[in-house]
Amino acid sequence: DLEQAPEKCVVYFGMVDMLVHYNWKKVVANFAKGQTIGWVNKIDTEPPDVYAARFRQTFRRKVKPRAASFPITKANLANFETPMPAMGMSGGTASFFKAILKENANISECPEVKESRQYWVAKDLERARDEVGFYEAAMMRKNKPGFDVLKWMTPYKGLCKAPCMAKPDKPSDITVMLLRNGRDGFKCCRMLDIKIGWATAVAGWQGKSAFGAWKQKILDSQTNSTEEGFRLEGFDNPPPSLKSVERLIATGNTPVAKKAHRFNLQRLAAR
């Protein structure tokens, strides 16, 4: 909790597991379960290498999250106007909020207020926890020899818990990550959300089931991921030519229309 001061503690835990030889019975069980419950959930009778990799991955995620290796930078909420208005999403699933600096914000803590009060944007940490470790590690290394490329990294302010208008009726306290606002200073931005990778889902990763990974593999095969190794997931302010094509695909704001528009973006080639 960002509101609590760090304190020392001792944690005791135990692992309960039954390790046996992976014999012919386990091979048969693996095949049978893989063709039934394995389509929708993880199974226990996996080969030793797969089981060991999954065990280590779960252990690292549950016992010592990656971000726990770094001190977390805390941003002072007193420098920002609250509640933070919602900005919506663009292709992804994380919510964004307007992080507007107060006119009388502390200059020593927020020198960027001289440049713009809308210098930062707040991203809901619930969908961005894996990013914290990267930004904290980058901040520690960006001035060290050999890490010059990090000078081009998106500026990162830290985390804070702030009242946010996630719902129109009333604010709720949300832990947010403050990043440089790419729309700051521009009347109209054309921003692209690109997903990189030939395959975008693997069974067992982040809780993805074998059936979910199989469905994602089928989707990947129909998109530009297969052709060029990346695809477009979101497009803010697309050109009129693309808008005209989207009107031919579907109209309205229904879930079906949204999926159709997104699938059209995913199939676009960069060439």
Side-chain angles (χ1 to χ4, degrees):
D1 192 338
L2 293 175
E3 304 299 327
Q4 294 181 351
E7 59 181 23
K8 293 182 179 180
C9 62
V10 178
V11 178
Y12 296 93
F13 67 94
M15 293 179 290
V16 180
D17 209 340
M18 182 65 70
L19 300 178
V20 297
H21 290 289
Y22 192 74
N23 52 28
W24 67 269
K25 293 182 180 179
K26 296 299 180 183
V27 174
V28 173
N30 173 264
F31 177 79
K33 292 182 179 181
Q35 302 304 313
T36 52
I37 61 174
W39 285 103
V40 295
N41 209 340
K42 293 184 288 187
I43 59 176
D44 55 350
T45 53
E46 293 282 17
D49 55 340
V50 177
Y51 187 91
R54 188 175 70 184
F55 183 89
R56 290 194 298 267
Q57 182 185 46
T58 303
F59 189 86
R60 287 195 299 267
R61 186 174 68 250
K62 298 292 186 181
V63 177
K64 188 178 181 181
R66 186 179 179 185
S69 303
F70 307 97
I72 302 299
T73 304
K74 298 179 182 179
N76 188 357
L77 181 61
N79 292 314
F80 294 88
E81 293 185 355
T82 55
M84 295 182 175
M87 293 181 64
M89 306 174 185
S90 177
T93 55
S95 298
F96 286 85
F97 304 91
K98 293 181 180 180
I100 303 174
L101 288 164
K102 294 179 179 178
E103 292 183 1
N104 60 344
N106 191 315
I107 298 297
S108 62
E109 295 180 355
C110 302
E112 61 275 5
V113 71
K114 296 180 180 179
E115 180 179 342
S116 172
R117 293 179 58 203
Q118 300 188 47
Y119 192 89
W120 302 107
V121 65
K123 184 177 184 179
D124 187 355
L125 191 65
E126 186 63 30
R127 294 283 185 169
R129 294 187 182 278
D130 292 341
E131 300 176 23
V132 177
F134 166 77
Y135 282 109
E136 294 290 352
M139 285 183 64
M140 295 171 60
R141 294 176 171 85
K142 68 178 180 180
N143 294 322
K144 294 182 178 181
F147 291 93
D148 294 340
V149 68
L150 294 178
K151 295 178 181 178
W152 300 95
M153 185 190 76
T154 300
Y156 163 75
K157 186 73 171 176
L159 309 181
C160 70
K161 183 177 286 187
C164 299
M165 298 303 296
K167 296 181 179 180
D169 50 349
K170 67 175 184 178
S172 55
D173 288 341
I174 296 177
T175 302
V176 295
M177 178 170 57
L178 297 170
L179 301 171
R180 181 68 169 101
N181 183 8
R183 292 182 172 87
D184 181 31
F186 298 95
K187 293 182 179 179
C188 182
C189 291
R190 179 167 291 165
M191 304 182 72
L192 286 74
D193 180 4
I194 299 173
K195 180 173 284 188
I196 299 175
W198 300 98
T200 59
V202 178
W205 183 78
Q206 298 288 355
K208 178 73 72 173
S209 67
F211 181 64
W214 175 74
K215 289 196 302 181
Q216 192 65 43
K217 183 178 180 180
I218 294 178
L219 174 62
D220 291 343
S221 67
Q222 302 299 315
T223 68
N224 195 53
S225 293
T226 302
E227 298 296 326
E228 298 181 279
F230 59 89
R231 68 172 182 253
L232 191 60
E233 289 286 324
F235 201 155
D236 283 356
N237 296 314
S241 58
L242 181 57
K243 287 185 177 180
S244 64
V245 173
E246 288 189 337
R247 283 195 290 268
L248 296 176
I249 298 172
T251 58
N253 197 33
T254 64
V256 174
K258 290 181 179 179
K259 289 184 178 180
H261 291 315
R262 186 174 182 181
F263 188 59
N264 180 56
L265 293 179
Q266 292 170 336
R267 291 175 57 85
L268 290 177
R271 293 191 294 266

